[in-house]
Amino acid sequence: MANVAVVGAQWGDEGKGKIVDWLCDRADVVVRFQGGHNAGHTLVVDGKVYKLSLLPSGVVQGKPSVIGNGVVVDPWALLDEIGRIEAQGVKITPDVLMLADNACLILPLHRDIDAARETALGAGKIGTTGRGIGPAYEDKVGRRAIRVADLAEPEALAAKIERLLAHHRALRAGLNLPDVTAEAIAAELLEIAPRILPYARPVWRELDAYRKRGRRILFEGAQGALLDVDHGTYPFVTSSNTVSGQAAAGSGMGPSSVGFVLGIVKAYTTRVGSGPFPTELEDAIGQHLGEKGKEFGVVTGRKRRCGWFDAVLVRQSVAINGIHGIALTKLDVLDGLEKLNICTGYRIGDRVLDYLPASMADQAAITPVYETMDGWSQSTAGARSWKDLPAAAVKYVKRLEELIGAPAAMVSTSPERNDTILMRDPFAG
């Protein structure tokens, strides 16, 4: 049986939470491999809603769940989330949750820098969540981050914090932020350490043992491929690699262990925050998609921008991620629309491109080339087989498959776990 890596193939918010939860039934272990608590997954299980940010979706089912080394971890946010989920009746112990001891931490000073920078950028802001994700990744690659394992070595912590502050003091001064002391940071970390360290371990070793025993591993991505720091709409991206290749690096497993790559694709397109969006609709249809699709961020509550399905972008994601099949979500949001547009190319002057150019100037000049299809008046909500779908809806799905170059392995027709049409079990390879 294959392992499965789940990645968003658009700008995030594609409905990964429901699909990952559905796949958890078939998985033995669930791994988060990048991002931080800027991600938001909503699970609906037996009518009960769980909102997760850092925790892998497997915790809701009591499956062994791993926060990998590719994640940056705010320990206070993690404990807060554990408390919220436990208040809903889900017990989270170190037997269920494993935290990579080589994962880097997000500290309060990272949040300060994140918020101050966004404020200073004004109209040119990136649109971060202000949770310190970017500054924490900067410290990671700058080799000055505090890691989970450092919490177990209080005698060495002071020198590591001083090394970190040698960089941050200048940043804070430039942004008119008050100074912070090494003693204050150390006190905060040492106070929280006993509550975090029970979850910490070399997770690469645990995962290797699961692999050798033939256990099925589900790699759970956050955000989407178009927010990838290398392959996304830079600079309006997140601060980590969100593509499937990061599943290996961010968990400590080799690339051959990643297995089937399942791309989550919404039946239309949304994006949160700033940045290019060729098919964005600022009309009644765009408002309809936002209202019917309940398009508000799980973490921030921010309203999502909505637009037609962009086959150019998804085709690019399919190639970059090596996607074997897609899970198409929110098909029911399109119910009742008389006509549907699909973007099949980008016109820039006298050129028509079949990919998103890296140039910001070119991105700003894009006019989408549309293909129009008939919509359907019948409801697709709750459909669990092809025969339950209107013929026009089936035709729409088939056309998307052709345009993006990947088959639909699953089609989701509501937030409920079992309202899913399965064409191919990703764990079957």
Side-chain angles (χ1 to χ4, degrees), residues 1-4 22-23 26 259-262 409-410 422 424-429:
M1 300 294 283
N3 297 330
V4 176
W22 190 91
L23 289 167
R26 293 149 177 80
F260 188 98
V261 179
L262 181 68
M410 308 164 68
L422 179 66
R424 179 180 181 183
D425 183 350
F427 277 115

Side-chain angles (χ1 to χ4, degrees), residues 344-387:
T344 59
Y346 296 148
R347 187 178 300 282
I348 303 173
D350 59 357
R351 298 176 294 155
V352 175
L353 302 183
D354 62 355
Y355 66 96
L356 181 71
S359 162
M360 290 180 68
D362 281 348
Q363 291 175 3
I366 286 172
T367 298
V369 177
Y370 285 122
E371 175 180 307
T372 302
M373 298 186 67
D374 289 332
W376 53 90
S377 57
Q378 309 97 310
S379 173
T380 62
R384 298 185 181 183
S385 70
W386 277 118
K387 65 181 177 61

Side-chain angles (χ1 to χ4, degrees), residues 108-423:
L109 56 78
H110 293 125
R111 296 195 294 270
D112 295 343
I113 294 291
D114 204 356
R117 281 177 174 168
E118 281 288 273
T119 299
L121 286 170
K125 65 182 181 180
I126 301 299
T128 77
T129 58
R131 283 162 167 73
I133 312 296
Y137 273 116
E138 290 174 33
D139 284 339
K140 176 178 179 175
V141 299
R143 295 166 294 184
R144 54 182 172 263
I146 306 300
R147 305 199 298 175
V148 172
D150 295 332
L151 300 180
E153 300 176 345
E155 68 284 351
L157 194 56
K160 292 176 180 178
I161 293 173
E162 277 298 339
R163 177 180 172 83
L164 178 67
L165 287 180
H167 175 78
H168 275 267
R169 286 193 181 104
L171 282 179
R172 296 181 73 86
L175 291 165
N176 296 315
L177 291 171
D179 196 16
V180 292
T181 67
E183 292 77 15
I185 294 172
E188 288 180 307
L189 289 174
L190 292 176
E191 186 275 331
I192 205 169
R195 301 168 64 195
I196 290 293
L197 288 173
Y199 300 103
R201 65 195 74 181
V203 300
W204 66 266
R205 190 169 180 271
E206 302 279 349
L207 290 171
D208 188 54
Y210 280 118
R211 179 187 64 80
K212 289 175 178 175
R213 295 201 300 271
R215 299 295 188 262
R216 290 177 289 193
I217 301 171
L218 178 61
F219 299 93
E220 178 181 10
Q223 289 96 29
L226 300 176
L227 293 174
D228 184 274
V229 70
D230 287 306
H231 300 288
T233 48
Y234 191 91
F236 302 100
V237 293
T238 193
S239 299
S240 63
N241 287 113
T242 60
V243 293
S244 61
Q246 180 64 16
S251 65
M253 301 193 74
S256 62
S257 297
V258 172
F260 188 98
V261 179
L262 181 68
I264 314 302
V265 179
K266 196 177 286 186
Y268 49 101
T269 310
T270 62
R271 138 159 245 177
V272 171
S274 306
F277 188 167
T279 65
E280 184 171 11
L281 294 170
E282 300 183 77
D283 58 10
I285 293 178
Q287 184 175 346
H288 167 84
L289 293 174
E291 292 174 355
K292 189 168 182 180
K294 297 181 174 61
E295 296 296 352
F296 296 91
V298 174
V299 171
T300 63
R302 288 185 293 181
K303 185 178 179 180
R304 297 176 187 140
R305 301 154 64 190
C306 298
W308 294 120
F309 188 90
D310 192 330
V312 179
L313 289 179
V314 176
R315 184 168 58 242
Q316 193 161 321
S317 289
V318 167
I320 290 168
N321 287 278
I323 288 172
H324 297 99
I326 66 165
L328 188 69
T329 65
K330 293 199 169 185
L331 183 66
D332 55 304
V333 175
L334 301 180
D335 293 354
L337 293 177
E338 186 177 347
K339 296 290 181 180
L340 303 174
N341 286 335
I342 304 170
C343 177
T344 59
Y346 296 148
R347 187 178 300 282
I348 303 173
D350 59 357
R351 298 176 294 155
V352 175
L353 302 183
D354 62 355
Y355 66 96
L356 181 71
S359 162
M360 290 180 68
D362 281 348
Q363 291 175 3
I366 286 172
T367 298
V369 177
Y370 285 122
E371 175 180 307
T372 302
M373 298 186 67
D374 289 332
W376 53 90
S377 57
Q378 309 97 310
S379 173
T380 62
R384 298 185 181 183
S385 70
W386 277 118
K387 65 181 177 61
D388 296 330
L389 294 179
V394 173
K395 188 176 180 181
Y396 181 75
V397 174
K398 293 298 184 184
R399 183 58 179 148
L400 297 188
E401 290 179 320
E402 293 172 357
L403 289 169
I404 67 174
M410 308 164 68
V411 176
S412 169
T413 56
S414 94
E416 288 292 338
R417 180 195 294 174
N418 292 324
D419 289 344
T420 304
I421 302 169
L422 179 66
M423 281 76 76

